[in-house]
């Protein structure tokens, strides 16, 4: 990477933060204003079933973005929550 690319990545990562297990990153009730990049830890995508149980749809590991399809969606059809204390960075949808 050239210096400009490295500077751009460092700028994106400047907003990294540590969040606790159970923190909801994306709620299925509203369109998210941003997306999250998992830097350390683990998250899951899930839906609530009619009986109140939680159905896990997939896992997110370091390097994964929390659902790029949310960029175009007016409202997500599932939630994303952290499974353990994790480091994430919040990125603008733009």
């Amino acid at each position: 990477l050239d210096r400009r690319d490295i500077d751009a990545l460092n700028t994106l990562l400047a907003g990294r933060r540590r969040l606790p297990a159970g923190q909801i990153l994306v709620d299925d009730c509203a369109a998210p204003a941003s997306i999250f990049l998992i830097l350390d830890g683990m998250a899951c995508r899930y839906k609530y079933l009619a009986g109140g149980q939680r159905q896990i749809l997939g896992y997110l590991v370091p390097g994964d973005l929390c659902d790029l399809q949310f960029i175009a969606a007016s409202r997500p059809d599932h939630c994303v929550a952290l499974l353990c204390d994790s480091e994430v960075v919040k990125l603008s949808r733009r």
Side-chain angles (χ1 to χ4, degrees), residues 26-32 67 69-70 73-79 93:
V26 177
D27 190 343
D28 63 356
C29 295
D67 298 318
Q69 68 264 31
F70 291 158
S74 60
R75 186 175 134 191
D77 66 348
H78 60 276
C79 301
R93 286 176 59 165

Side-chain angles (χ1 to χ4, degrees), residues 43-64:
C44 69
R45 292 183 291 121
Y46 65 93
K47 282 187 175 190
Y48 283 106
L49 303 176
Q53 303 96 331
R54 185 169 74 165
Q55 173 69 50
I56 293 178
L57 305 171
Y59 295 98
L60 301 164
V61 296
D64 284 342

Side-chain angles (χ1 to χ4, degrees), residues 4-81:
R4 192 169 61 168
D5 291 336
I6 292 169
D7 289 343
L9 287 172
N10 285 332
T11 299
L12 283 176
L13 296 177
R16 69 175 63 192
R17 57 190 168 157
R18 195 102 184 132
L19 298 174
Q23 175 78 42
I24 296 173
L25 300 179
V26 177
D27 190 343
D28 63 356
C29 295
S34 54
I35 58 175
F36 290 88
L37 172 64
I38 306 293
L39 299 173
D40 180 51
M42 193 170 186
C44 69
R45 292 183 291 121
Y46 65 93
K47 282 187 175 190
Y48 283 106
L49 303 176
Q53 303 96 331
R54 185 169 74 165
Q55 173 69 50
I56 293 178
L57 305 171
Y59 295 98
L60 301 164
V61 296
D64 284 342
L65 289 166
C66 290
D67 298 318
L68 290 175
Q69 68 264 31
F70 291 158
I71 292 173
S74 60
R75 186 175 134 191
D77 66 348
H78 60 276
C79 301
V80 176

